[in-house]
Amino acid sequence: MKTVGFRSIVLYLLLAVLAGGAGYLIVNLFFHGSQWAMQPYNGHIYAEDATVKLGEIEDRDGLLLAATGEEGRYYNDSETVRKAMLHTVGDPYGMISTSVEHTMSSRLSGYNFFTGLNRTVFSQMGTDVTLSLDAGACTAAYEAMNGHNGAVFVYNYNTGEVLCKVSAPTYDPENVPEDIEENDAYRGAYLDNSLSASFTPGSIMKVVTAAAAMEKWPDSWMDRVYSCEGAEELGGDQITCLHSEAHGEQDLSSAMGNSCNLYFAKLANDVGAEALQKKAEEMGFNSELHMGSIPISKSEIDLSSCNRNQLGWAGVGQYTILANPYHMAVLMGAIARGGEYTEPVLTRNQDLFSGLTGGKSHQLCTAKEAQNLRSLLRNNVENYYGDWMFPEGMSVCAKTGTGEVGEGKAPNCWMIGFCDSEEYPYAFAVMAEEGTGGVESAGTVVSAVLQALK
Amino acid sequence: MEMIQEFLQSGFLPTALLIVRAVVPVLALYVVWRSYTSFQKGQRRRDPVVVLWDEGSNARLPVLYWENSIGRSKSCDVYLPDASVSRDHAVLMRRDEGWVICDTDSKSGVFVNGKKVQDRKLLKIGDKITLGSTTLSLWNSDAQPQRSRKAFTGFSKNAASPFKLMFVASLVHFLMAVQSCFQNGGFAPDKFIPFLTVLLMGWGLYVISVGVLKRVSFEIETIAYLLSGIGINLLAASDPDAARTQIVAMAMGMVLFSLLIWFMNDMERVAKLRLWIGLGALGLLMLTLVIGTEVYGAKGWILLGPLSVQPSEFVKIAFIFVGTSTLDRLQTQKNIWEFLIFTGACMGCLALMNDFGTALIFFACFLIIAFMRSGSVRTIALVLVGAALCVFLILKFKPHVIARFAVWGNAWSDAYGDGFQQTRTLTYIASGGMFGMGLGQGYLCNMFASDSDLVFGMLCEEQGLALGMTVLLALGILILYARSDVTRSRSTFFSIASCAAAGMLVFQACLNVFGPTDILPFTGVTLPFLSAGGSSMMGVWGLMAFLKASDERTYAARRASRRGASSNRKTPDPARKGSAGRRGAAHSGSMEDIYS
């Protein structure tokens, strides 16, 4: 019997499987439990008679944006506020996965590993969230978008606090349109365009091309001169400036102000595809950025197989290049701060220690390049767009862009930039689809937001 | 009544119920842990009862077990370094009538007092046994009882009384019933009915076993009672009809449990009927294939009027009967072909029924039995290769089976498709936290098969992960029960059977718990004791009979009353055999009693 007894040790294998599996389950539950619990189908949170009462969401001035009452979740009284802040705050059905209600649902619901979704004294403490956003700025941006689809992202580049984030198309979470799934006007309405989408950048890409030139010729970049006839053949095909306007002899500074395509097309060719690709990647293209736990859609660039003409178009933000509004805003924030940006956050006083540790920083360019780019961008506003269009004393530095999308559609109109001001440390990126021009369609939005933030 | 109403509306109720839910796993854990430590403490020490005296070398060879192999092989229980002795020469077994020597196909044969033994022979104290050129004589042992060598023996020195453990187990059920009757903020005393029924059945078994049959241990029954009651109270909150079926099945399961224990008392009877049990089981499976009804994709059910029976749950018991064997048979019949063919036939039938989960359980059980019988890693490896081939063929001809595997580990990427059940289970387990959202307050119970395949999720959602883990511990610890009896049982027949039963239950628990939680592929088998399903409940109680039968104390009381036992146990003195003096099985049905 001794032998049989000894052989029964094989049962410990099974016991090990049981213990291992149970341990794995507990560990997984510990790390992912809040994600698992916060699913849109979870009856404890979303059913009519749900036990869980999600906490309140307020804007930076204490304006109530969302709360739970007897009849479930309700949102701000104003329809415009609801629409402007939909993608930030969220919807009652958990469709907008980048919203605060979705990404911070475990905090709003008071979930924790030990008591789950039970309502206890502990879970009811601190379930409310105060956003860093300004509802006034968001509605101003939404209204200034004037029905265009697109994205607005404005944040404080010193603290990282996001002040304004709007995405269109949007809808009213209190009255979800019945045809939301079929109607083309709502296509992509669940997506936050500022975080989860990338668009053809157009001329805002010239900031990157200029940075690549600064890296290649650190001492002589400002002296490079190219001539512009409005249209020219390059690499077997045409490169044209907007409206075929001939800019004549241009240096980098004036070409940036005039947004001269030919200058930057030639510059891109002299920099070379490899160097431009490398610089763009250093500046955040092709990398997976995050805002807290939210993954950001990549800005994309791939110059590995382009010819001279395509490289020329790439230098002015066409070809296959895509840019993400959040990325453009933090790029501007980095330039404003000497090359490093503070990662944006959506909430204030998230925890006791956030003030001590500070936001995460990421380097996108060198301090020297940041300084040079800042003076180029300031020159754009001072001498080309006009300071009159922005509130006084904000010392705005900016670049516009019109990304051609083809298919007979009007271009993506961009304005990216920042205020070179201690009092107003704001960086911004605005993109309006099917607009008329950078200044006309996006600049007015920037202006409205800055006015609201003043 | 008014006070109750007031209390219910005070808002204090949810907190009170949460505290109750936090207490339940603590009490359950106490029962599970103390049952096992008490079970162990009640076991006899490993002292020799009789010795074999080698006249040639004047060596005293202790006989430690109920069945002892004697031979030249070092792995024998009684090792004889004699070239003329066969490797596995003979088996010395203790049976009701006394010690029996059995020639296991040795070359030179076994002689008792000079006469060659044909098959087996009953021995008397002082008999001379000749194997090869060695002659041994059988004597009583005068060894002093050894001190326990265990360093850690639990947190308490003494065993808990069976009454106390049953009482705490009942308290666990009571606290669940309390939750059930206060659910939805009302007060529904009728929710106590399932609790009271289970209470009655559990204590009924207790009175019969401890009071009438005078059995000293009740730990295994306590665990089965605890788990069954948890399952029934859980079901009663959301599906009273299923709970009713479950209660009836538990009663029938207890009867089956008792019948099997009675049946296994007589080893001869078991040996005689083994073949018929095997044939009957196969017949039952084939009958199911012919007249069975398909329920949710598996043709594993026979409808008998209002009753629906799942024969495969009972075939599990028969399967163990066929697989296990006494030591003398193990020595003489070393190959496992017979059992392998039986396994193949069973699994074939199950595969034809489309019940791959159960087939897998049979296979795991086969591996355990085959290894314990042969100890041959090579055989096991060969069988595994064969099985892999079969799996390959199944996947080739039944490609839909692959779909189940495709979602394994990726449930979240298809939360509304193939990963539906897994993601819901995980979501609701997480929602429940450690102490659950409350009995009858779950959402998982609305899902298809929530009370069988997903019952672990349902338990965790409503009663918390703490109780879920306690239930897993209770099932896992069955392996330790089986292991601690493995050299103490009355025969390798029981050792192997209890290990196979415990292994089968734990393997089934693994499939049930880790399938819906996306750790293993989803197979859709029941969780022992907890899943709704009458046949399953009965079958599991039946399997517990193997664990109970493996404990030598189970049959000790009866034996103690049938034979005399003396207080004087000294050196070889055959004259003392059968002397007077009665001793009940106060401490345990110790082997010391038999030949004093």
Side-chain angles (χ1 to χ4, degrees), chain B residues 267-279:
Chain B
M267 305 271 305
E268 298 300 318
R269 177 166 53 208
V270 177
K272 244 182 270 166
L273 290 177
R274 212 172 127 261
L275 180 69
W276 296 108
I277 292 171
L279 290 178

Side-chain angles (χ1 to χ4, degrees), chain B residues 109-129:
Chain B
V110 176
F111 297 85
V112 173
N113 299 331
K115 275 175 77 180
K116 190 166 171 54
V117 171
Q118 303 296 332
D119 190 30
R120 57 176 64 196
K121 169 126 181 46
L122 185 67
L123 297 175
K124 296 191 295 291
I125 291 291
D127 277 351
K128 289 190 188 342
I129 309 152

Side-chain angles (χ1 to χ4, degrees), chain A residues 205-214 252 264-265 267-268 271 276 314-317:
Chain A
M205 187 67 189
K206 287 169 184 164
V207 175
V208 177
T209 313
M214 289 170 189
L252 187 58
F264 281 95
L267 185 68
V271 167
L276 183 57
V316 300

Side-chain angles (χ1 to χ4, degrees), chain A residues 42-98:
Chain A
N42 190 339
H44 294 295
I45 305 174
Y46 298 107
E48 300 270 312
D49 54 346
T51 32
V52 175
K53 258 179 99 171
L54 292 181
E56 293 176 358
I57 301 176
E58 294 173 345
D59 91 333
R60 63 185 296 116
D61 300 320
L63 183 73
L64 188 70
L65 297 174
T68 308
E70 288 296 315
E71 280 158 32
R73 199 76 172 149
Y74 65 90
Y75 297 87
N76 187 277
D77 296 336
S78 149
E79 186 185 336
T80 319
V81 172
R82 293 199 296 264
K83 283 182 166 176
M85 306 202 71
L86 168 76
H87 294 90
T88 307
V89 173
D91 68 303
Y93 305 104
M95 299 302 286
I96 296 166
S97 61
T98 53

Side-chain angles (χ1 to χ4, degrees), chain B residues 33-34 37-38 40-41 148-158:
Chain B
W33 179 249
R34 285 297 277 150
T37 53
S38 305
Q40 264 196 323
K41 284 181 181 112
S148 168
R149 280 168 296 146
K150 271 229 167 75
F152 179 70
T153 54
F155 297 104
S156 172
K157 276 197 166 162
N158 302 314

Side-chain angles (χ1 to χ4, degrees), chain A residues 179-259:
Chain A
D179 57 348
I180 189 162
E181 303 288 347
E182 301 92 43
N183 192 337
D184 267 359
Y186 294 116
R187 183 178 291 175
Y190 296 140
L191 220 60
D192 187 333
N193 279 330
S194 66
L195 307 177
S196 313
S198 298
F199 307 88
T200 305
S203 298
I204 57 170
M205 187 67 189
K206 287 169 184 164
V207 175
V208 177
T209 313
M214 289 170 189
E215 187 174 65
K216 185 146 187 160
W217 305 288
D219 303 315
S220 60
W221 58 269
M222 64 291 271
D223 305 325
R224 297 195 77 81
V225 173
Y226 300 98
S227 65
C228 165
E229 308 300 331
E232 207 175 301
E233 199 186 283
L234 185 69
D237 216 333
Q238 288 280 306
I239 302 276
T240 51
C241 273
L242 196 62
H243 313 307
S244 298
E245 192 180 338
H247 297 109
E249 292 274 300
Q250 294 277 301
D251 65 4
L252 187 58
S253 178
S254 55
M256 187 71 100
N258 288 319
S259 201

Side-chain angles (χ1 to χ4, degrees), chain A residues 1-5 7-12 14-15 17-18 21-22 24-26 29 33 36-37 39-44 47 49 51 111 113-118 120, chain B residues 18 21 65 67 75-77 371-375 412 416 423-424 426-428 430-431 433-434 436-437 441 443 461 465 476 479 483 486 489 491 495 499 503 510 514 519:
Chain A
M1 280 187 98
K2 184 173 74 182
T3 327
V4 171
R7 287 173 189 158
S8 70
I9 285 175
V10 73
L11 282 180
Y12 285 144
L14 259 180
L15 205 56
V17 170
L18 185 74
Y24 180 77
L25 179 64
I26 291 174
L29 202 61
W36 291 352
Q39 294 298 318
Y41 52 74
N42 190 339
H44 294 295
D49 54 346
T51 32
Y111 174 87
F113 174 70
F114 293 100
T115 56
L117 288 173
N118 273 295
T120 61
Chain B
L18 181 64
R21 292 201 296 277
Y65 314 113
E67 291 182 338
S75 63
C76 283
D77 299 316
F371 183 75
M372 287 188 68
R373 280 178 56 165
S374 70
W412 289 104
Y416 292 88
T423 51
R424 277 14 172 222
L426 288 172
T427 291
Y428 288 119
S431 299
M434 284 293 122
M437 296 299 286
Q441 306 296 311
Y443 285 89
E461 183 193 15
L465 188 66
I479 279 181
R483 276 271 303 138
V486 76
S489 73
S491 165
S495 309
C499 286
C510 284
F514 301 144
I519 296 170

